[in-house]
Amino acid sequence: MKLGKSKNKSKAAKLIIDNKTYNLPIYNSTEGESVIDISKLHSQANIFTYDPGFTSTASCESKITFIDGEKGILRYRGYDIEDLANKSDFIEVVNLLIYGDLPNKKQLKKYKNLISRHTLLHEQIINFFQGFRRDAHPMAMMVGVMGALSSFYQDSLDINDAHQRQEATRRIVAKSATIGAMSYKYSIGQSFVSPKNSLSFSENFLHMCFSNSAENYKISPLLAKAMDTIFILHADHEQNASTSTVRLAGSSGANPFACIAAGVSSLWGPAHGGANQAALEMLEEIGSSKNIHKFIKKAKNKNDPFKLMGFGHRVYKNYDPRAKILKSICQKVLKHVGIKNDPILKLAMDLESIALKDKYFIEKKLYPNVDFYSGIILRAIGFPPEMFTVIFAIARTAGWTAQWTEMTEDPIQKIGRPRQLYTGKKSLIYGKNRSKKNTR
Ligand code: SDX
């Protein structure tokens, strides 16, 4: 059923302010928490709700992804993540997220063909890379080049044209891998490797990253499957920070490439997608299991900004189902690449086991999240830590474009414009009350 249609209303919530009662409709979800509709509250009661960080706020209605944080459940369009990780492939999941149900064989073949034919970039885009320093973070290149795509693909900018919207989503997903691979090659001083349409999306990404002008990278089916599973696990995650950024940018009517560039920027933060790089760097800093207690003490110290990277989650108050799957892939990949008893994996598992027995982590329900084990696998495949968030961004173009499409097609969507609790100065007369401090 389309969004915005009659919602499954149940009883109303009563809000009493200064002895006046306001009835606020409650809408039931198909799974998970119901919502109280406060959209008319300001016009009725001249008051705002207040929820920094949106810990108790539903920003939209969506049919794409469901998370049960208590039970550790993640579903894309109703399918459990475990099933999709084991049985599907990334491009089928992209199609599922954007179109709402699994494609049949013919539709999937056609869609894979369409994606393959969008992996090439306009030759002039190569010039953008020349402008970066070689030691620029690859995410800086992802942000810059993704936003610049709007100047090259002007026949897919009209957000009111269904075909142009779909064309833009295909270009963003397909080209994100090429841009990501190019940012890696540029950072290591190697020439760019063109995509090969005969390869799958994940094989192609490994080829573009690890082949070079002297020899082709020998694609191992096990590593290609691990890469594809990593893309599936990172594809979407409800209204997380970067997806909310894409939706807010999209709500102003900005073109799809600009919205996704905004999402890439938000994902880069260490509290979000940047945590996979930070988690591996943290493990390397801990160095050995005998130092674990020192770092756990730091993580528990309110006055110390240090947090255990790859631990904790706004929604999961149980083990992140994606972390479980990644942990199970670790050993297979390490064995395949010939790393026996990887000290970093052992350290990660020791850290997990000590933390999960610690009262602080138990009380605050802090478990390993998607970023805790992913870096160990990506490093074993051959990527440097700077590429981990780029890989997260490539995968998340699936969710970002699906959520952007849903928002753009939502009949009740309007520009997002939150209000505030103002606690600044009341009106002053110009010239008086100048600052006495010369601290600036
Ligand atoms: C992702 O939203 C998504 O869905 C994101 C994501 C996706 O797929 O899009 O799942 C991907 O971003 C995963 C999260 C990756 N980030 C990290 O691993 C960074 C480390 N984690 C923390 O920064 C934190 O757990 C967050 C940001 C993930 C969640 O923060 P919240 O929901 O705002 O929780 P909080 O900071 O209010 O934490 C609650 C308490 C606090 O202590 P008190 O103020 O109650 O005393 O738990 C503490 C926090 O200090 N805490 C931690 C901790 N995480 C939370 N203490 C130590 N180490 C940690 N990792």
Side-chain angles (χ1 to χ4, degrees), residues 279-349:
L280 189 81
E281 288 166 352
M282 173 192 75
L283 289 168
E284 286 170 345
E285 189 191 350
I286 295 174
S288 123
S289 299
K290 66 179 184 333
N291 300 328
I292 287 177
H293 287 289
K294 185 176 84 178
F295 281 83
I296 287 200
K297 195 159 170 255
K298 272 173 68 68
K300 290 157 60 173
N301 177 357
K302 291 307 302 156
N303 303 317
D304 188 330
F306 173 79
K307 286 203 164 49
L308 274 195
M309 301 318 279
F311 257 80
H313 199 276
R314 170 64 57 78
V315 180
Y316 289 122
K317 300 308 169 193
N318 197 327
Y319 213 103
D320 183 333
R322 302 168 297 177
K324 258 186 212 156
I325 298 169
L326 288 165
K327 188 177 173 183
S328 71
I329 297 175
C330 267
Q331 292 293 15
K332 255 187 271 176
V333 168
L334 289 164
K335 187 162 168 266
H336 181 81
V337 300
I339 301 177
K340 287 193 181 50
N341 314 317
D342 178 30
I344 291 286
L345 175 60
K346 180 172 178 325
L347 178 58
M349 293 169 84

Side-chain angles (χ1 to χ4, degrees), residues 237 240 270-273 275 299 302 307-314 322 360 364 366 369-371 392 396:
H237 214 239
N240 57 83
H272 190 12
K302 291 307 302 156
K307 286 203 164 49
L308 274 195
M309 301 318 279
F311 257 80
H313 199 276
R314 170 64 57 78
R322 302 168 297 177
Y360 173 91
K364 292 181 188 299
L366 303 174
N369 60 47
V370 68
D371 293 310
F392 195 148
R396 193 49 60 91

